[in-house]
Amino acid sequence: QVQLVESGGGLVQAGGSLRLSCVASGSINRIDAVDWYRQAPGKQREMVASVTSGGSTTYANSVKGRFTISRDNAKNTVYLQMNSLKPEDTAVYYCKAQTHYGPYWGRGTQVTVSS
């Protein structure tokens, strides 16, 4: 079992920045990768960024150059630094852990970008 708790969401003006955190607990040694997803109202959930246990990263085209995913193994935490935010980045952001036993999801944190 893996538990994930997201934090750091909020309301920000367009062009601003936020840093999301995802703290993992439980069987963290079983985690192969951690992803950030987002879901806007009326839209499907989409992957935003991913980091593997080896440190390789992947980004959606829509956030490349603006978002950075990173991990602090000592704190069991994965971060999503979001810069140059746009109104279309407004969504609930979820953390997902990929493990040998399947995926685990956090409950999400709301990000709202005003124009």
Side-chain angles (χ1 to χ4, degrees), residues 10-77:
L11 174 63
V12 64
Q13 288 188 332
S17 298
L18 283 173
R19 188 178 78 159
L20 305 183
S21 299
C22 171
V23 179
S25 60
S27 301
I28 57 175
N29 58 323
R30 301 294 187 180
I31 296 175
D32 296 320
V34 175
D35 311 325
W36 281 100
Y37 277 72
R38 67 185 180 188
Q39 187 166 20
K43 295 189 177 181
Q44 287 190 329
R45 194 172 293 191
E46 62 173 354
M47 195 191 80
V48 173
S50 178
V51 61
T52 69
S53 57
S56 297
T57 58
T58 305
Y59 297 93
N61 288 334
S62 58
V63 306
K64 279 182 182 176
R66 300 189 299 122
F67 291 10
T68 302
I69 190 170
S70 62
R71 58 193 298 161
D72 185 336
N73 292 332
K75 296 182 177 179
N76 298 329
T77 301

Side-chain angles (χ1 to χ4, degrees), residues 59-115:
Y59 297 93
N61 288 334
S62 58
V63 306
K64 279 182 182 176
R66 300 189 299 122
F67 291 10
T68 302
I69 190 170
S70 62
R71 58 193 298 161
D72 185 336
N73 292 332
K75 296 182 177 179
N76 298 329
T77 301
V78 173
Y79 301 100
L80 185 68
Q81 178 67 44
M82 306 187 296
N83 299 328
S84 302
L85 283 161
K86 305 175 181 180
E88 51 262 44
D89 294 318
T90 295
V92 177
Y93 284 70
Y94 299 90
C95 182
K96 172 189 166 187
Q98 301 179 39
T99 77
H100 297 296
Y101 306 109
Y104 291 89
W105 292 88
R107 294 189 173 186
T109 184
Q110 175 71 47
V111 171
T112 302
V113 184
S114 63
S115 57

